[in-house]
Amino acid sequence: MGLTTLIKVPSQKDFYDGTQWERKPHGTILLGDKEVAHTLMCPHCGNHFISRKGSGVRRGFCMGCKAVTCGDVACGPCIPFEKRLEIAEEIGRILQKG
Amino acid sequence: MARSYAALGSVTNTVSTTLPLLMVMGAANIRTKIYEINLGTSATPADAAARYAFQRATTAGTPGSSVTPQPIDAADPAAISTVGLAVYTSTPPVLTANQFVWGESVNQRATFRWVAQQTKELVIPAVANNGLALMSQALGGTAYAIDLTVYFEE
């Protein structure tokens, strides 16, 4: 998954109608000078997503990271994004050495 | 302290699953972090919805043109990361399947801006040939030129 699709239905004013207003947003969306939506970052994969009430998208919550996850199956186990980056960089270094 | 850079360009938002509109490539010795994305158009206003997403990539491909990222602080040196702009004609980048880190739907009439909080940026790992490709995923109507600016730090 890892990607939130925003679908506009006729009852919606715009793409961001009904989106969740986060208390501590990780990203902010602005149209012109108006703040219209917030994004959260998954602590495991680094994906930014918008929460929308009634979207039916299931998110998770990591008790280790104390943060909402994107809900992707791969983001179930607690492997923090920083750790994933370190693993990717280590693999990169090994491959570079040959 | 991290150094900030801006990369901007204009490109036609033709939908493609293989050819990105813009590509930010990191380097083996530095983590590149995208912290702001601006999308707008100078085309005649119309109600055209489009969807864009950043997808992870493991090669740079051959872009139509290269953009020189401009340091926000003029005293900073040139960026280590590189930026390529469409149209990728000969060699497209190798995109990692289903690895999208950011995606938004945008209406042509409204200039769109996304800003990440500190430590919540889109990160490119410090691995050679790793980058983020901006893909045009969906478009309602005919393709039009978009003006985009990506800010990143390294």
Side-chain angles (χ1 to χ4, degrees):
Chain A
M1 194 181 67
L3 191 63
T4 313
T5 308
L6 292 176
I7 302 161
K8 190 173 172 289
V9 294
S11 60
Q12 280 180 258
K13 285 185 291 181
D14 54 54
F15 290 120
Y16 305 105
D17 191 25
T19 54
Q20 178 74 34
W21 198 256
E22 308 291 352
R23 196 166 59 88
K24 288 181 181 173
H26 297 160
T28 308
I29 292 170
L30 299 109
L31 291 184
D33 59 350
K34 197 179 166 198
E35 201 171 311
V36 292
H38 288 157
T39 60
L40 285 181
M41 184 180 146
C42 175
H44 295 165
C45 69
N47 174 31
H48 273 261
F49 56 88
I50 295 173
S51 299
R52 169 180 280 161
K53 291 165 193 166
S55 68
V57 178
R58 283 187 174 217
R59 307 290 180 194
F61 188 85
C62 177
M63 297 300 281
C65 302
K66 303 250 184 306
V68 179
T69 65
C70 65
D72 192 357
V73 178
C75 291
C78 179
I79 306 169
F81 186 49
E82 183 65 30
K83 185 74 188 167
R84 286 182 193 223
L85 286 173
E86 284 170 8
I87 292 167
E89 287 164 0
E90 191 55 43
I91 292 168
R93 275 192 287 273
I94 292 164
L95 290 174
Q96 215 168 18
K97 279 179 191 168
Chain B
M1 205 176 83
R3 294 164 176 153
S4 300
Y5 298 86
L8 55 150
S10 187
V11 62
T12 305
N13 63 351
T14 309
V15 174
S16 173
T17 52
T18 52
L19 305 173
L21 305 177
L22 177 124
M23 182 91 172
V24 181
M25 287 301 288
N29 55 351
I30 204 152
R31 276 186 189 171
T32 306
K33 299 174 180 180
I34 296 173
Y35 65 88
E36 183 169 335
I37 301 158
N38 290 344
L39 289 164
T41 179
S42 52
T44 309
D47 266 328
R51 178 168 178 79
Y52 307 101
F54 263 112
Q55 187 171 8
R56 292 204 181 275
T58 50
T59 64
T62 310
S65 62
S66 293
V67 178
T68 307
Q70 295 300 315
I72 302 297
D73 183 342
D76 282 346
I80 296 169
S81 310
T82 53
V83 179
L85 203 62
V87 173
Y88 289 76
T89 45
S90 51
T91 321
V94 174
L95 302 165
T96 314
N98 297 321
Q99 293 246 331
F100 295 94
V101 291
W102 176 93
E104 299 300 340
S105 301
V106 179
N107 191 296
Q108 188 187 340
R109 284 191 190 274
T111 297
F112 172 92
R113 185 175 174 218
W114 174 81
V115 187
Q117 298 291 320
Q118 224 167 12
T119 73
K120 304 295 179 190
E121 304 93 348
L122 307 177
V123 186
I124 300 168
V127 180
N129 296 320
N130 260 241
L132 283 170
L134 182 68
M135 309 301 294
S136 176
Q137 293 192 312
L139 180 64
T142 13
Y144 55 91
I146 55 163
D147 304 314
L148 46 93
T149 310
V150 173
Y151 293 88
F152 62 87
E153 61 178 36
E154 56 176 40

